[in-house]
Amino acid sequence: MVCCFLIHTVCSVNALSAGGSRVLYSRVFGPEDNSETDPERRRLLQKERLLALARRVRTAISLHRDAAGSPCVECVLGEEAVALGEADFGVLRLGAGQPFPAEHTLLWLGVQNLAFTLVCEMHENLLLAEGTLRNLARHCMEELRLLGHGSEILLKRDRIDAMLHRYLPHGQLLFLNHRFTHILDKELSAYGNK
Amino acid sequence: MLLLAKTHTEQLQALYSSILRESLPLSIHELCSGLGTDLRWSSYVAAVALSQAACKDDVAPVCQHLLKQLESRQPDGQVCKHTLPILTKLVNYSPDILTEDQVNLVSRKLVDWLRYASMQQGASMSSGGFFSGSRARQPVPVTEVDGTVAGDFFTVLCVGHSFGEDQWMNMYTFSMIRKWLLTYDTEGTSGGESDHLCRIQFMLAQDHDDRSEVDSSVVSMVSATSSCSRLLAPKERLREKAFEYCHRLIEQSDRKAIKRTDTELQKACIVEAVTIMDIICKEDPSYVYRAFPSVKALYGRLSGELTYARALIPIAQFYLNHSEMAAVDSEAVYRQLFARFPSELFNEPTLAYELVQFCRANMAVLENGVALYRQSFPNLFKFLAWNSPALVSDYMELLPSLMCPDTAVEVLHSLLDLPCLAATLELQQRSATCQASERVLWDTGSKLASTLETFRQPSYRGFFLYILRPEAGSGDTIDRLNVLHDVLAEMAACPRVMQCAQVVPVLLHVFFNNVTKFADQKLINQLALVLLERSSLLYNIKQFKIELFRVFSTHIRALCKLHPSLIVEQSRELLDFCGSTANIYSREELYTNVVWLIGEYLSVAHNPRCSVELITKFFEGLEAVLFEISQVRQSASPPSYPPRVLTTLMTTMAKLASRSQDLIPRVSLSLSKLCTFARSRPAQASYSEEDTEEIVTRAHELTNLLKLPSVAQFVLAPPPLGESPRWHRDTNASLPRAMRAISELLHKQSSFMPA
């Protein structure tokens, strides 16, 4: 099972401190393992955890890019396929308490200045998780025009919700063959065109 | 309430759901009552309920609702599409949310969905359309991923233009079945008799297996071997059906998919199927005999292809868990895993991660049962060298399992060579890509090009072969390591190498903390020697060296404490090390610590073989160093020796003198010389006033102490018992009294002070 999905920045954002990262979209597939009882504090803890994840991924991506020594390819709107082809991918183990009480596996996909992050359980099928993450990232890139300067990602988060509703319902990774995917794709575009 | 209204479009539903998830909790009961109102959107309602739940009681109503829906299946065959994902999430959150009966109920449902989904394509989703009328009614069978008509039963690897509800549920069921089995399939049920039956079945199947290798038949034999399972309990029946499903998936994964995405899905299905089989076999060992033929055939099919490397890890897990029971040889699988993958696929981050997690999960079994595991540590280090930031925490756990008395020294050398390994792998990678592309590319960067050129030169081949060796045992290290360092000098600035160098100190700490658990005297001697030797043979990264000297110092102290006679046993090497002033510049931290260790442990108390001659020898060595320092200082541009080195040298000499009192006049002379010289002009130029003060005071104190040799002996080499906490409390014990006496000697009686 996947416990959360994040889209966040990995470049420096003016309003944030140097190591900071802005979370553009987050979805926690609840109920989560949260020790707080007060709802306000629960929410706060959850947000803190997501920020911690974003920071961790940001570090991992910059280390990865340094090591690979590959210059970042600047793609513009319409070149989503190229940007995804050049994307960096990596896996991390989140130890117990960092930040979830149990161990987890984190998969990240760095597309230029954005990162797509999936946190799943330790013994999850990583081949499937990787495929799902790439599929989600492709949809987000294409439909929300993430390479442009717009703010559609913030304004159209219901689309991402609808996307997750289909490809990752309640955090369940699905074994979708190309026909299943095709049908869901069609449903999704029908959702978008309404 | 908005969320529960029936008439909304999905957009509104999605928006409401996402807003409510972020707001304060609603009444769960109210939400649950809304779950049934509109099946299309009940998944959105459930998402709100789940995300706001804080305890088991909060989610129980959702669970009850889902189960009720499952039980009283509506006449039109409609259930909430996301029933299973929601249920899995609930079960994941709190496994005891379902009662035994409920588990059985769901298990029965799962069997139906898993095994008895229709083989015809579902009615087309696009309703209407002028021409679709009559054709849509005609049943069209689903096909396999390669386009042939599917036989046997429906699986996620069957494709059709559209899918019926049961086929969707089949897909959802398979997606969650592993989690379900892990949670609820917990009691073994095989009887002795069925075990025997299965053994025979296994032999027959193996026989069949041998034949089918020839024509690699695609005819499914799953249903044929399926036993009459109608009579089994729901859980066992589910186990049986899940097993058959996995068996069929493995067969289907042999087909050549038309679409690339389906090829990827096939790989994921192999991983899932083998893992599920493993879970089932663990619960009910009688399945082992049925599972092995197909897993073995699968291994035979995939082992040659590196693109399927990740699928081999669950296979290896299967072998590890069950090969002994089925008496199947598993050596080849491990060889593939530990010998081939790390050297050929070190740059695959996910494979590295999965393999490392495999090792972590099976550490205890691997270190005792699979000799190749420990043997392959040089190979396993390749993953770490290539991707150190992501893997360091895992290797901190793995390292102890890779160490044993036979390999400890080699592991230590390999850890120290880790940045070299990273540099070499980087070279190897670049060399491979350069060969593929144009030579022109690397002609431009002349420095790197020359390094690449060297990498290909046969004269250096031996060095690189050693660094890239797949297995331990070809000697702990090599001669002329510095040549290799020189060759790789250009690579030291490469970010990957730097990242790798940063993890070495951490791993060394793990190494030493662990090695002391099993090391005998001989090994400790060896390790101490390696530290001294390698301190001058490190890959030239400045920060790396500084950090490493710190680590070396800490652990050479620990080794000496553990085994004090080390000082006597390795006296020649230690003397050589301390006797050279060059070591002070390059390895100040280590040098200071070694000098201190000599003063501390070179005594009869720690080793009866410690003779007066030996003490004198050490003393003379240090005396010469101190002399050299004070002489060099007279020259025009004195190198600056840290005051800490000087005070340590002085104290150590005083300690040695207190043990062999003939040396006292000599040490007093040296100390007074050093005093005058610390006040000299060139020295003062490089020391601050406080430093000078410190040196002079220390010299005076030591001189005064040595005037009363018996007191000096007591103060400079307190009996080991002095460390026990009792001394501080018991005012009548001799140490506090002695301390008082000494402080009076040093401070009050000024007549003791030299003129």
Side-chain angles (χ1 to χ4, degrees), chain B residues 30-52:
Chain B
E30 221 169 277
L31 277 174
C32 288
S33 65
L35 274 174
T37 51
D38 189 338
L39 284 175
R40 281 178 307 162
W41 313 138
S42 57
S43 176
Y44 282 111
V45 183
V48 177
L50 293 192
S51 70
Q52 296 193 337

Side-chain angles (χ1 to χ4, degrees), chain B residues 207-395:
Chain B
D207 206 31
H208 174 95
D209 189 40
D210 292 342
R211 272 182 283 124
S212 69
E213 262 173 33
V214 185
D215 56 3
S216 75
S217 92
V218 284
V219 180
S220 170
M221 51 171 280
V222 177
S223 298
T225 53
S226 139
S227 56
C228 134
S229 56
R230 281 273 165 199
L231 303 169
L232 297 171
K235 270 188 194 177
E236 285 170 50
R237 190 144 174 266
L238 178 61
R239 200 183 285 163
E240 172 69 34
K241 296 302 169 195
F243 185 84
E244 286 170 13
Y245 195 98
C246 293
H247 202 178
R248 172 148 158 78
L249 276 184
I250 290 177
E251 285 181 355
Q252 283 180 303
S253 63
D254 196 16
R255 293 174 182 274
K256 180 113 188 62
I258 300 170
K259 293 275 180 182
R260 198 185 52 83
T261 49
D262 286 345
T263 313
E264 293 301 309
L265 182 69
Q266 279 178 319
K267 285 183 200 165
C269 282
I270 292 175
V271 170
E272 193 76 0
V274 176
T275 315
I276 292 174
M277 279 188 167
D278 182 42
I279 295 170
I280 293 176
C281 288
K282 262 195 260 177
E283 278 315 314
D284 185 350
S286 65
Y287 280 94
V288 170
Y289 308 108
R290 285 170 61 191
F292 243 112
S294 67
V295 175
K296 211 169 141 187
L298 184 67
Y299 171 72
R301 207 173 82 209
L302 304 185
S303 60
E305 296 180 47
L306 282 177
T307 48
Y308 279 91
R310 284 165 69 184
L312 279 187
I313 292 175
I315 295 182
Q317 182 72 60
F318 189 90
Y319 270 81
L320 196 66
N321 291 343
H322 308 294
S323 66
E324 200 174 334
M325 182 174 175
V328 175
D329 183 34
S330 46
E331 180 71 16
V333 185
Y334 304 141
R335 191 151 285 285
Q336 188 85 1
L337 216 57
F338 297 128
R340 188 163 174 217
F341 290 170
S343 37
E344 292 181 43
L345 299 170
F346 58 86
N347 53 356
E348 287 281 322
T350 338
L351 176 79
Y353 180 82
E354 284 175 314
L355 189 50
V356 167
Q357 298 312 325
F358 168 80
C359 295
R360 257 185 86 227
N362 301 293
M363 225 151 46
V365 186
L366 287 174
E367 68 180 292
N368 296 320
V370 183
L372 191 65
Y373 169 66
R374 267 191 180 152
Q375 197 98 64
S376 308
F377 77 81
N379 232 1
L380 289 173
F381 280 171
K382 286 176 190 167
F383 288 131
L384 176 66
W386 187 259
N387 196 3
S388 24
L391 293 174
V392 62
S393 61
D394 294 308
Y395 273 84

Side-chain angles (χ1 to χ4, degrees), chain A residues 117-137:
Chain A
T117 299
L118 201 69
V119 179
C120 55
E121 285 180 339
M122 210 48 205
H123 300 290
E124 199 50 83
N125 188 330
L126 289 189
L127 269 165
L128 189 61
E130 183 182 338
T132 309
L133 179 61
R134 287 184 190 276
N135 185 30
L136 289 173

Side-chain angles (χ1 to χ4, degrees), chain A:
Chain A
M1 291 239 101
V2 173
C3 46
C4 64
F5 173 71
L6 288 182
I7 304 175
H8 56 93
T9 61
V10 285
C11 57
S12 31
V13 179
N14 285 341
L16 299 175
S17 60
S21 170
R22 174 159 287 168
V23 177
L24 300 176
Y25 175 87
S26 70
R27 174 72 200 271
V28 176
F29 299 100
E32 60 162 351
D33 202 347
N34 193 324
S35 54
E36 295 288 346
T37 45
D38 176 45
E40 286 283 7
R41 295 183 63 88
R42 280 178 73 82
R43 196 181 122 84
L44 201 65
L45 179 61
Q46 191 190 76
K47 299 290 168 204
E48 288 292 331
R49 280 176 177 174
L50 295 179
L51 271 180
L53 289 180
R55 278 196 298 271
R56 183 100 192 254
V57 170
R58 188 198 150 115
T59 315
I61 292 186
S62 64
L63 283 169
H64 179 91
R65 286 183 177 161
D66 272 357
S70 51
C72 193
V73 192
E74 283 294 323
C75 293
V76 289
L77 213 54
E79 292 181 359
E80 282 84 8
V82 182
L84 280 166
E86 302 281 335
D88 304 294
F89 175 77
V91 199
L92 284 176
R93 179 170 66 94
L94 302 175
Q98 296 172 343
F100 299 104
E103 277 193 340
H104 281 88
T105 298
L106 181 152
L107 296 94
W108 55 259
L109 188 72
V111 186
Q112 296 192 23
N113 292 329
L114 286 179
F116 297 86
T117 299
L118 201 69
V119 179
C120 55
E121 285 180 339
M122 210 48 205
H123 300 290
E124 199 50 83
N125 188 330
L126 289 189
L127 269 165
L128 189 61
E130 183 182 338
T132 309
L133 179 61
R134 287 184 190 276
N135 185 30
L136 289 173
R138 182 176 60 82
H139 275 288
C140 288
M141 297 293 290
E142 285 170 2
E143 284 171 32
L144 298 172
R145 311 160 69 81
L146 293 184
L147 291 179
H149 289 289
S151 49
E152 293 189 44
I153 188 164
L154 296 175
L155 296 175
K156 296 191 175 167
R157 57 171 289 155
D158 67 302
R159 291 210 187 193
I160 313 180
D161 282 334
M163 198 182 294
L164 293 176
H165 176 76
R166 286 173 176 79
Y167 299 107
L168 200 58
H170 301 273
Q172 175 74 61
L173 292 169
L174 298 177
F175 287 83
L176 300 170
N177 62 40
H178 80 273
R179 286 309 305 178
F180 278 117
T181 315
H182 182 74
I183 293 165
L184 291 179
D185 284 351
K186 270 191 2 204
E187 260 185 66
L188 197 66
S189 64
Y191 173 93
N193 294 333
K194 260 184 209 168

